[in-house]
Amino acid sequence: MKTVLITGCSSGYGLETARHFHSQGWNVIATMRTPREDLLPRSERLRVLALDVTKPDSIAAALAQSGPIDVLVNNAGIGLFGAFEATPMATVREIFETNTFGAMAMTQAVLPLFRTRRSGVVVNVTSSATLAPMPMVAAYTASKTAIEGFTESLALELEPFGVSVKLVEPGYGPSTSFTNNTGSRMDGLIPEAYASYAQRVFASFAQPTAVTTESDVAGGVWRAANDTTGRLRFAAGADAVALAESR
């Protein structure tokens, strides 16, 4: 029976991915900054652990508690919407700490086991913002695009050791807590000069032609984790698939 460790399971894509892998008979290590046992079914095959991917000690403790794993899903992330001109560099660094460096740190922590065992899969969840230019998300897109390049290179680097690295690229998920997760980071990021433009962007988000659901992403992660074809990218959600096919 295989074991998957998933970061960012408190809501949205991570939570649904944990549920999906559990329903498929896997052992699941669901991690989140503040553990909540009530979010997932009680099961001998499911454990909820505390994990802050920006803190090395937290990563080490979570991996020590989880034991050997077969798949790492780097899903933890925070969003940001606003004019880059008004975005403090401290906020940009905060976004990168979780979305980019956190995923890298988690990956680096599991690689010795995967390389020595000559098996294992790392699935990095990015965004359809990497598939086509999108306004008002420059810093967020940069943090996810960095992981795209990182994954492409790492996949080649680890191939001789039998370790796979995959990308799952979700589209726009209005049913997730992406906007809520931006929190106070959005305060002051839409100055008057950008207000009318931002309103038009928000209006377009409110009337999408296609969207991504949590189950779309869970399914995409599942396919990536079990892929044997060597495929690197898995767009998740109708809108993301359309963008990927138009490239």
Side-chain angles (χ1 to χ4, degrees):
M1 188 183 301
K2 290 187 175 182
T3 299
V4 60
L5 186 150
I6 307 164
T7 68
C9 290
S10 62
S11 65
Y13 301 149
L15 180 58
E16 187 62 28
T17 299
R19 289 171 175 157
H20 185 78
F21 273 79
H22 182 261
S23 72
Q24 298 299 314
W26 281 45
N27 292 320
V28 175
I29 310 295
T31 71
M32 54 193 78
R33 289 189 181 186
T34 304
R36 286 185 55 188
E37 299 285 348
D38 61 317
L39 295 175
L40 290 156
R42 291 189 177 277
S43 168
E44 293 181 354
R45 292 188 291 103
L46 197 152
R47 296 168 63 196
V48 177
L49 296 181
L51 173 62
D52 183 336
V53 300
T54 70
K55 300 184 184 303
D57 290 347
S58 181
I59 292 174
L63 291 177
Q65 293 177 74
S66 66
I69 64 172
D70 300 284
V71 176
L72 167 67
V73 179
N74 285 314
N75 167 77
I78 52 179
L80 189 70
F81 183 95
F84 181 73
E85 177 186 338
T87 306
M89 286 308 299
T91 301
V92 175
R93 292 187 177 94
E94 182 184 1
I95 295 297
F96 269 77
E97 281 294 339
T98 295
N99 295 0
T100 309
F101 303 137
M104 288 180 170
M106 286 297 301
T107 300
Q108 193 172 66
V110 303
L111 287 187
L113 168 66
F114 285 4
R115 175 181 50 76
T116 302
R117 196 176 58 196
R118 302 187 71 84
S119 69
V121 182
V122 177
V123 180
N124 291 325
V125 180
T126 58
S127 169
S128 62
T130 66
L131 298 174
M134 296 183 184
M136 308 298 284
V137 288
Y140 172 80
T141 300
S143 73
K144 292 296 190 177
T145 302
I147 289 297
E148 295 259 330
F150 165 70
T151 303
E152 289 176 324
S153 180
L154 190 64
L156 297 175
E157 189 174 319
L158 296 178
E159 186 177 11
F161 301 104
V163 179
S164 299
V165 192
K166 307 290 186 178
L167 284 165
V168 172
E169 300 161 324
Y172 172 54
S175 61
T176 70
S177 56
F178 176 87
T179 302
N180 293 337
N181 285 343
T182 63
S184 61
R185 285 182 296 273
M186 272 188 63
D187 293 347
L189 297 193
I190 305 177
E192 183 59 33
Y194 290 88
S196 60
Y197 180 72
Q199 285 180 340
R200 293 196 298 273
V201 174
F202 274 128
S204 68
F205 285 168
Q207 298 179 320
T209 56
V211 298
T212 294
T213 67
E214 290 90 339
S215 61
D216 289 332
V217 178
V221 173
W222 173 258
R223 290 191 297 275
N226 291 280
D227 179 66
T228 59
T229 69
R231 178 179 171 185
L232 176 67
R233 286 182 165 82
F234 295 78
D239 52 335
V241 171
L243 287 174
E245 292 176 346
S246 68
R247 296 183 75 183

